[in-house]
Amino acid sequence: MIVQSCENCWFNGLQYGSLGLSVGYCTLHNKILNSSHSITCGSHQRKDLTLNRVRQVSEQHSKFYASSEIIRLADKQVATRETSESNEDFEQLRKDEVGESVADYGQLNTTIESLARLRYMQGARAELAMLSLSRCYVQNCISRNGKWTSGLHLYWWTKSRLHEMPDIKLNDMRSFADVPLERAVTLNQWSVIMLRLLFIEDMAVYAVGDPLASAHGIIDEAVVNVPDFNILKLLRWLKREAMPTLDKYMDCKRYTNLAQQLRGDKLT
């Protein structure tokens, strides 16, 4: 994976490494990405980094690439064949239920509705899309002077499945990177778990002054407690250690109270 390309940007919820569809989709430029590994733009947000590092790298990236257009990494020229806006291609993308929800994201004020739909879909591709787009959704809310609670439901949905093994099926993967199938599945499961933790970490950074802010550093804790690549050990640590700690910051009762407050704010 080329880390500065569109396949590693959180505006593209359809791809991450070898996981996803054969094409991507940019929810910022509203374009299908035919060759996501070879293109980028100045608004690129790396989905494999913690929020503070995303900001640092994004600032540097924007100095070299234009934000107004998707361009080729090789020569910085506007990408043409590498992207598509044709109705025929969109019709094909919408035949896939995850692709349809991602294409709907941001259209006609359907951002949170699209994320909610993805939450209830089965499979790792739907979760990949929800986690990627959740990161840009909350960032957009915060940039418009919104509160961290704009991502409250997204946080709760993510936390509830934090310790569960991601469901990776053969048709969820677009490539195998010259590794055995079993290894490819495990690598993608690990990637999805890391994406969950990255979103939890995002929310902790945004939740300044709230108990949830204490969750900042959860990825470092995971690395310390599970230094080897052992996915079962990681899931055990998440269930036995991380989940109870996160519940101290926000249990079901507190989540319900915050959700009611959030609903009341929207009605006033």
Side-chain angles (χ1 to χ4, degrees):
M1 180 175 68
I2 300 176
V3 295
Q4 68 266 39
S5 72
C6 292
E7 67 178 337
N8 188 36
C9 178
W10 69 37
F11 289 112
N12 173 16
L14 293 181
Q15 299 172 315
Y16 183 55
S18 62
L19 184 64
L21 287 178
S22 58
V23 298
Y25 181 77
C26 177
T27 57
L28 183 64
H29 294 283
N30 300 318
K31 291 184 178 182
I32 293 173
L33 309 175
N34 299 323
S35 303
S36 60
H37 65 283
S38 66
I39 53 181
T40 192
C41 83
S43 297
H44 184 264
Q45 307 287 309
R46 281 180 58 173
K47 69 177 76 175
D48 64 323
L49 298 177
T50 57
L51 186 60
N52 289 333
R53 283 293 294 149
V54 170
R55 291 167 172 169
Q56 294 169 0
V57 173
S58 178
E59 182 179 358
Q60 293 300 313
H61 190 84
S62 65
K63 295 178 181 178
F64 296 94
Y65 301 98
S67 297
S68 58
E69 296 280 0
I70 298 176
I71 57 181
R72 293 192 294 265
L73 282 164
D75 56 14
K76 297 184 181 180
Q77 298 301 306
V78 174
T80 51
R81 288 178 296 180
E82 295 84 359
T83 65
S84 174
E85 297 177 273
S86 78
N87 291 332
E88 292 80 4
D89 288 347
F90 270 89
E91 288 177 5
Q92 290 298 318
L93 181 63
R94 288 181 176 279
K95 291 180 180 179
D96 179 85
E97 65 172 356
V98 176
E100 181 178 36
S101 289
V102 170
D104 282 344
Y105 177 87
Q107 303 298 313
L108 303 176
N109 298 317
T110 60
T111 48
I112 196 65
E113 290 87 348
S114 296
L115 294 172
R117 289 211 314 264
L118 289 165
R119 176 211 176 187
Y120 288 108
M121 291 180 192
Q122 298 296 313
R125 288 199 300 110
E127 186 172 5
L128 162 64
M130 190 194 82
L131 291 168
S132 296
L133 299 182
S134 290
R135 296 190 78 182
C136 66
Y137 173 80
V138 181
Q139 178 187 249
N140 288 342
C141 292
I142 296 296
S143 68
R144 296 168 183 167
N145 297 317
K147 299 178 180 179
W148 69 268
T149 49
S150 62
L152 177 67
H153 298 307
L154 299 169
Y155 167 81
W156 190 256
W157 299 340
T158 301
K159 185 179 81 74
S160 67
R161 65 177 68 171
L162 185 59
H163 63 291
E164 297 177 359
M165 183 72 80
D167 181 21
I168 308 287
K169 294 184 172 62
L170 183 61
N171 60 0
D172 289 328
M173 296 182 288
R174 59 195 182 108
S175 66
F176 299 99
D178 298 322
V179 297
L181 176 58
E182 182 180 5
R183 179 67 171 175
V185 169
T186 301
L187 289 171
N188 280 305
Q189 288 171 329
W190 186 276
S191 294
V192 172
I193 295 170
M194 289 299 107
L195 289 176
R196 294 171 182 171
L197 288 170
L198 284 165
F199 182 66
I200 296 291
E201 183 107 354
D202 280 9
M203 291 297 293
V205 173
Y206 292 130
V208 178
D210 187 87
L212 185 58
S214 297
H216 186 212
I218 189 172
I219 291 181
D220 291 337
E221 291 181 28
V223 171
V224 170
N225 285 277
V226 190
D228 52 336
F229 185 77
N230 187 323
I231 195 167
L232 293 178
K233 186 177 179 180
L234 175 61
L235 290 174
R236 286 195 297 269
W237 177 80
L238 290 170
K239 184 176 182 178
R240 295 175 183 174
E241 303 294 335
M243 293 287 287
T245 299
L246 292 174
D247 282 339
K248 292 179 182 178
Y249 307 143
M250 186 189 302
D251 58 13
C252 186
K253 182 178 180 180
R254 183 162 190 261
Y255 164 66
T256 301
N257 290 337
L258 286 171
Q260 290 174 344
Q261 294 174 25
L262 189 63
R263 189 179 305 114
D265 291 341
K266 291 180 178 179
L267 294 175
T268 59

